[in-house]
Every structure is written in structure tokens, then in C-alpha cells.
Amino acid sequence: MSETPKKPRVLSGIQPSGDLHLGNYYAMMKPMIASQETSLLFCFIVNYHALTTVREGKNLRKGTLDAAMDFMALGLDPDKCVFWVQSEVPEVLELQWVLSCLTSMGLLERCHSYKDKVAKGIVPNSGLFTYPVLMAADILLYQAEIIPVGKDQKQHVEVTRDIAGSFNHAYGETFVLPEARIDENVAVVPGIDGQKMSKSYGNAIEIFSGENVLRKRIMSIVTDATPVEAPKDPDKCNVFQLYQLLGTPEEIQDLSGRYRNGGMGYAVAKAELFEKVNDYFKPFRERRHELASERRYVEKVLKEGAEKAGYYASKTIQKVRRKTGLSFRKFK
Ligand code: ADP
Ligand code: TRP
């Protein structure tokens, strides 16, 4: 008799630091939601990470519940996965400390995400600097194997592998080395200014915006000054990049042909993009609207999720305490 194959552990988290956008959805949320059918899925709202930049308690609290409701509205089924808020399983901070003692300064100093945030004017605190160690603790605490993320997080998963390797080397095989899962077609979704779309760059197209805001946002995507009649290169246009996320292959080919033929202004492409985004997200928006009045239910879901997550976390943390000598009492 053949054994049932073990389901792979898939894990990823999102910061409750602002409204979620198309980049978050296509790179992380959509693949995560799809994996609930085939894997042991761990999905969580990383509020400890968001503390590196969010300064108002009420914003963090609201952002956390909003992100949870967003995930559920988009189809995450708490009965098919482990879904919780990071700070409700505080063992992660203990593991972070242990791992930080095995992490060289150089490894963190090389992290692009930290350097980019500082370059964008975020005043660095030591939490921002050690952010990747907390992310490593998130992943290793749940012994996750596959991490669906956008390209900006690739290096953090590599750092996690390095740290896990150092721990295994020092204390013996303990952690699985995780791998980032990055879909090249959505690795870096551009924002309305052509830079990487981000909650913190003011260039995002938010997935739960109402229809009017959504239309305005899409109509304000930056394009070049090529006149209406002239042929245009779709591959250099932000509108076309975004259209590729939603169009069918035939629709993408058709729009690409109209760019190249000339005679079509960017406003037409923007209007078509708006229709696509609006039609796709409309049912999710409606569900999201309902969930907004079911706050108690969402809180209950997150509490139960934290209990499930705690079960996995405690197994790992006990192992770590034993191996490192932190638990000094004699075991039976
Ligand atoms: P943000 O940069 O908007 O604050 P987060 O850091 O919370 O987003 O990222 C959550 C997830 O979404 C991560 O896996 C990240 O790689 C992914 N992501 C964020 N922005 C983009 C983007 N523009 N393109 C592709 N993936 C993205
Ligand atoms: N650092 C990730 C981001 O900014 C969020 C995150 C925290 C995460 N812990 C994680 C992602 C663990 C994947 C796995 O997007």
C-alpha cells in the first residue's frame, strides 16, 4: 500500500502597513490562496515587522484586521490553512534572538531591502536592520519549505537559508532549508509611476478601492508622450505591463497589436485596464464589504489560527531550546 505523500509546507506573510495592492495580490496573495488546496499552508499578518515603520497603535490594529479581512475576502479559507497574526505566537521572538546570535553583521549589511528603505528616507532603527532575522524565524519556526513572495523578498529567503545552515552546522540537522517561489511574470509589478508598486511609495493600485478611486488611479498611470497616431512599444508601457496580469492571451495579443499599429491613445488602454481590474475584483470587494461588519467572526478566526500555529511553533522551539542548551532542566 502506498503512503499518502506528505503535503509541502508553504508559508508567507504580509505587513499590515497600508492598503493591499495589485503587486501584493499577484505575487503573494493569489499563489498563497491557490496553495491551500494542495499544501499545508501557513499564512499570517506580520505585525511585528510592521512595527519597524508604523508608529500609531490604532493604525497597526486597524491594518492588521483589514489585512486579515482582505485575505478572507479574496478566498483564503481558514479551515484549509493556518491563518493568524504573528504577534499571537510570540515564540517567534525567542527564535529570532537565538538566530540573531548565529547571524553575521555582514549578512544583514548586504540586504538590499534595508538599503532601499533607508535610501527612500525611512529612518533606520535596529528592528529594520534585523528584520530579515525575524523573517528567518517566521519561516524556520514553522519548518516551511516553499515561500511565495515577490522578487524583493528573494534575498531574505536566501538569508534564511544561510541562517538555517549556520544553526544546523552548530547544533546538528534541525531546520529545513526553504525556497522562495517567485513567478517571473509577476516578480516586480510596476506602480503608476513605473517604479515597483509598494504600499509605502504612494504609487499603488489598491485592490479594494471603490470604482471611482480605482478609475482615477488607473487613468493617472504615467505614460510617455507618444502621439495618438504613432506606433507604440507595449513592452515599455506600464499600462500594458499591468494589463498582462489580467488579460487572456488573445486579449493581450490584440492590445499589443493595437499599440504597434498606432492610432490608439494610452487613454484607451487605460480604460480597458480599468474594466479588467474592476470586473475581476468586484465580487471580492462585495465580500470584503460584508466582512467589514463581521469583525467578531474575523477575530475568532485569527484566535483559532494562532492556537493552531502555536502547536507547530512549540514543537520547534522546544527542539531549539534543547539543542542550544537553553533548557537546562533534565528531560525524562
Ligand atoms: P509593500 O512593498 O507594498 O509594503 P510588502 O513588503 O508587505 O509590500 O510585501 C508583501 C508581499 O508582496 C511580498 O511577498 C512582496 O514581495 C510582494 N510584493 C510587494 N510589492 C510587490 C510588487 N510591486 N511586485 C511584486 N511583488 C510585490
Ligand atoms: N518581509 C516580508 C515583506 O516585507 C514579510 C514577511 C515577514 C514574510 N515574514 C515572512 C514573507 C515570512 C514570507 C515569509 O513582504
Side-chain angles (χ1 to χ4, degrees):
M1 208 173 68
S2 66
E3 260 182 54
T4 333
K6 216 172 116 241
K7 286 183 174 180
R9 289 195 185 190
V10 175
L11 172 147
S12 197
I14 198 153
Q15 293 193 65
S17 52
D19 294 337
L20 304 185
H21 54 70
L22 294 182
N24 299 141
Y25 179 70
Y26 284 100
M28 187 273 199
M29 304 171 88
K30 188 168 182 237
M32 286 285 280
I33 293 165
S35 337
Q36 69 191 358
E37 306 301 337
T38 51
S39 56
L40 175 50
L41 180 67
F42 295 86
C43 180
F44 59 141
I45 316 295
V46 295
N47 56 346
Y48 281 140
H49 279 100
L51 259 194
T52 56
T53 52
V54 179
R55 281 294 164 271
E56 295 258 348
K58 77 173 184 331
N59 291 348
L60 189 63
R61 208 162 21 243
K62 178 173 184 312
T64 302
L65 270 175
D66 280 350
M69 288 176 186
D70 290 352
F71 254 113
M72 289 167 69
L74 291 166
L76 191 84
D77 179 348
D79 291 331
K80 292 186 180 163
C81 66
V82 186
F83 182 48
W84 78 107
V85 175
Q86 185 186 32
S87 63
E88 301 220 74
V89 185
E91 284 89 338
V92 72
L93 297 181
E94 181 178 348
L95 184 58
Q96 184 203 4
W97 175 254
V98 173
L99 298 179
S100 74
C101 297
L102 290 147
T103 307
S104 71
M105 291 293 285
L107 190 63
L108 299 181
E109 278 160 0
R110 286 192 290 278
C111 285
H112 308 298
S113 169
Y114 173 75
K115 289 191 272 194
D116 290 349
K117 284 178 181 164
V118 175
K120 288 261 188 277
I122 293 179
V123 182
N125 49 56
S126 70
L128 197 67
F129 184 67
T130 55
Y131 182 112
V133 188
L134 180 56
M135 178 159 160
D138 282 334
I139 296 172
L140 301 178
L141 188 60
Y142 301 98
Q143 303 278 5
E145 298 157 86
I146 299 167
I147 319 297
V149 279
K151 196 171 167 193
D152 60 305
Q153 296 299 316
K154 183 171 192 252
Q155 191 186 26
H156 287 161
V157 179
E158 281 158 9
V159 166
T160 303
R161 290 171 66 88
D162 273 14
I163 298 176
S166 302
F167 189 99
N168 289 349
H169 181 72
Y171 296 108
E173 265 331 284
T174 309
F175 293 119
V176 184
L177 302 196
E179 266 178 46
R181 185 194 281 160
I182 299 170
D183 174 349
E184 280 312 315
N185 298 319
V186 297
V188 186
V189 173
I192 59 171
D193 58 357
Q195 307 288 308
K196 171 195 171 281
M197 189 179 288
S198 172
K199 298 186 210 98
S200 46
Y201 301 168
N203 66 356
I205 298 176
E206 285 95 10
I207 52 190
F208 290 106
S209 300
E211 213 163 297
N212 289 339
V213 174
L214 188 64
R215 185 183 290 106
K216 268 205 197 125
R217 252 355 228 166
I218 292 180
M219 295 318 274
S220 66
I221 296 174
V222 175
T223 48
D224 63 26
T226 317
V228 172
E229 16 357 303
K232 301 174 183 63
D233 182 351
D235 299 328
K236 293 205 176 114
C237 176
N238 298 323
V239 182
F240 187 75
Q241 301 308 307
L242 293 168
Y243 190 86
Q244 284 178 299
L245 299 172
L246 295 117
T248 63
E250 296 74 32
E251 287 167 337
I252 293 169
Q253 207 185 0
D254 173 66
L255 184 62
S256 160
R258 285 186 284 140
Y259 266 81
R260 291 186 201 283
N261 290 340
M264 182 193 71
Y266 288 119
V268 172
K270 288 180 185 178
E272 289 182 22
L273 173 63
F274 165 73
E275 290 300 330
K276 280 270 161 220
V277 178
N278 193 44
D279 288 352
Y280 183 84
F281 287 104
K282 204 172 184 176
F284 298 132
R285 234 163 30 219
E286 284 160 10
R287 176 67 189 128
R288 177 67 181 79
H289 191 68
E290 287 165 16
L291 277 167
S293 56
E294 296 170 27
R295 186 181 161 144
R296 279 269 161 81
Y297 163 66
V298 176
E299 285 174 0
K300 181 168 160 277
V301 161
L302 293 171
K303 185 166 172 281
E304 287 168 6
E307 280 161 19
K308 280 201 247 174
Y311 163 79
Y312 293 97
S314 85
K315 287 222 270 198
T316 307
I317 206 72
Q318 283 177 35
K319 211 188 273 181
V320 167
R321 286 179 192 150
R322 264 202 309 274
K323 293 200 174 196
T324 52
L326 284 170
S327 42
F328 57 91
R329 291 187 192 89
K330 205 162 178 346
F331 283 89
K332 285 195 193 112

